[in-house]
Each structure stands twice: as C-alpha cells, then as structure tokens.
Amino acid sequence: MSVKRGRPPGMMDVARLAGVSHQTVSRVLNEHPNVSEPTRLKVRAAIAELGYRPDRAARALVTGTSKVIGVVAQNSSLYGPASMLTAFEEAAQATGFAVNVGSVRNLDEQSIAEAVERHLDQRVAGLVVIAPVASAAPALAKLPGDVPLVTIDGDPEHSSSLVTVDQYAGAKAATEHLLGLGHRTVWHISGPADWFDAAGRVQGWEAALREAGREVPPLLTGDWSAASGYRNGQLLARLPDATAVFAANDHIALGLLRALNEHGRRVPADVSVVGFDDVPEAAFYTPPLTTIRPDFDAAATAGLELLLAQIESGTTENARRIIAPTLVERESVAPPS
C-alpha cells in the first residue's frame, strides 16, 4: 500500500492496510479491551509498516474540549451548496464553534475519505458533510461509526443523521401553484440526474401532476446553468401548448426566460415560469421570478443542533430534519391566455 507523497500516514491508511474499520484502529490506539488479539496485532503491524505515529491522533476526537467542527464540501459556486455552507458557518460561530472547511474538487469516495482524515487528525469535535450528489454515498457509508456526524442535503435513504430541504414538497408546491392558475399541465427542466435535490424536485413535480390527473410531459434535463435553461427553452418556445414551466433552479429559469423572449413568447402572458432557490437576483429578472425559497438558515441550525447533541452525549444517532421551503410569488406567473 502507498501513501500520497507529501503527507504522513493517517489513521485511515492504517485501517485500510490492516483491513479493519477506523473505529477498530481508534480502539487499538486507546487500548480498548473489546478488540481480539489477532486484530490488535494486525493493526500494530500496519502502524509499524506505515510509520504511523499514534501520538499524532491517538484520539481522533477530543469531544468536550475541541471547539472546531470539520466540514466537507465540494468546491462549488452553485448557489444552493454555497449558501448552505455559509449558513452553517454562521450558525456554528454563533454558538462559539469554529468551522474548518475541507473543500474537495469532487464528492467521490477517495476525496471525502481524505478530507475526513485530515479533519480527524486535527481533532475536530464532529463532522458535517454537505453531500448533494449520489457519488458521495459510498464514502458516507464507510465513515467511522464513532464520530459525531451529520449529513446535509445527502441521500434520503442513508441511515446517518440527515438534514435536508424538502425538495419534493417545494417542487409539488410550484407545480400545484401553476395548475391552480388553470394551466393544463406543467413542463419541467430538471437539474442533473445524480443530484438528490434534482431527483426530489422531479418526484414532486410528477406527483402533483398525477394527483391532479394531468398529463406528465417529457422531462427536460439541465445542469443547473442558465445555458441549459436557454437550450431547453429553444424547444419549449416552439410548443404552443407549453404554457407553464417549472425550472429546477433560478439560473435555469433565467436562461429559459431569455429563450422565450427571443421567440416572442411573453412571460407570463403566454408562458408562466416558476424557479427554485430564490437567488438574490430573482426579484430583478424580467419579469421578477416566482420561485421556491429554501430556508438555508433553518437547515444549517438544525444540522448544528443534531451535531452538538451527538458531541455533548458522546453517542451517535440517526436523526433527521426535513426543512420546508416556501413559495415566493412574483410576476412570472398568470392564468393561461
């Protein structure tokens, strides 16, 4: 086994080489009696082979004394993840905790594992992983079971403590709002298929249409960008029956508005548009955009509360908080002409 040049071996390197969990390595380092002798010898052999220094992180967590929370997040300028990270940092600082952010280029298993290890070696009190994409799931499943941990915007099927905005309810509210104005159906431009947020919004959109007994149009796929909204808008602008569109985020909606305008389709007289996120610019779109507003502050506070409860009790638990978003009505929707 090799360790990346430029950094000393960490506890997770020892765990991989010995073929045991991070928790088992921690028990061996702390001379816990609940470890079999063969396992203890394997761990000690891995420590010796790697040259790992147990005093560097003999206790990965210093619960009760450390005032630092480790956060793993993708290095992203996307409004949702960036806003969630900012809100969590502010909430933590308000309670006297510092936040150490481990930014990763991709939320894959190796990147998350390495970021978590860096946090543990710095003896953080607990961990938060902002993990909105499916590629993060394998890494989350392998994280140490004895570490206070909360996932934000993660896999709803994962058993760890989770805080997420109710994407399903938000999308359902957006779709029902358009149907309530008299539109026969609602088209949807989704986000990337591997994002849990995008999947939840698709499910909410479909559920609202099916419950109303309406036709579900073909799903159009975007990538959170205005460019993808513009590209799909070129198609929708040519469909006279497309009188209502729910865009998976406000940037997609922005590109859609541009495409509709170029084709002479007036918003909202000819086409009604609803977005999601309520970005600061949404109120200044032409026309001002009706959208779904996630409560990032409430989600961050809930995540911090769950984490602090684990830190204070010294135990981990699988609790979850689902944060309801709200519909913000502006001028981009109207009854069909």
Side-chain angles (χ1 to χ4, degrees), residues 59-192:
R59 292 184 65 209
L61 304 175
V62 191
T63 302
T65 58
S66 173
K67 298 291 287 185
V68 179
I69 294 170
V71 176
V72 180
Q74 189 172 19
N75 185 10
S76 172
S77 60
L78 289 171
Y79 179 75
S83 297
M84 188 68 76
L85 176 58
T86 299
F88 185 84
E89 288 182 290
E90 292 175 351
Q93 290 166 4
T95 61
F97 276 81
V99 173
N100 186 358
V101 180
S103 296
V104 296
R105 184 179 297 275
N106 298 302
L107 285 169
D108 55 52
E109 184 171 348
Q110 181 177 350
S111 299
I112 292 176
E114 290 177 352
V116 166
E117 182 177 336
R118 289 192 296 271
H119 283 316
L120 294 181
D121 287 345
Q122 294 167 10
R123 303 185 181 187
V124 297
L127 293 170
V128 169
V129 182
I130 300 176
V133 295
S135 60
L140 294 175
K142 294 181 180 180
L143 290 183
D146 58 347
V147 178
L149 169 69
V150 171
T151 304
I152 295 180
D153 278 347
D155 184 354
E157 304 302 321
H158 191 61
S159 60
S160 68
S161 287
L162 172 72
V163 174
T164 186
V165 172
D166 196 335
Q167 314 293 341
Y168 177 94
K172 198 164 183 283
T175 307
E176 288 173 344
H177 181 62
L178 290 165
L179 293 177
L181 291 170
H183 295 277
R184 293 175 56 191
T185 190
V186 178
W187 290 70
H188 180 46
I189 306 175
S190 77

Side-chain angles (χ1 to χ4, degrees), residues 229-279:
Y230 179 80
R231 183 177 63 251
N232 284 291
Q234 296 291 322
L235 168 64
L236 289 170
R238 294 178 170 87
L239 302 178
D241 292 339
T243 64
V245 184
F246 164 46
N249 75 347
D250 292 350
H251 289 123
I252 290 176
L254 177 61
L256 171 63
L257 292 174
R258 169 69 181 272
L260 293 172
N261 179 67
E262 288 183 355
H263 286 267
R265 301 295 301 280
R266 299 165 299 164
V267 177
D270 300 320
V271 182
S272 289
V273 176
V274 176
F276 202 115
D277 275 346
D278 195 25
V279 299

Side-chain angles (χ1 to χ4, degrees), residues 31-55:
E31 299 182 356
H32 196 285
N34 190 24
V35 180
S36 69
E37 192 60 25
T39 298
R40 192 182 305 275
L41 291 174
K42 280 199 304 182
V43 172
R44 291 294 181 190
I47 289 172
E49 180 177 337
L50 292 173
Y52 174 68
R53 293 181 298 170
D55 60 320

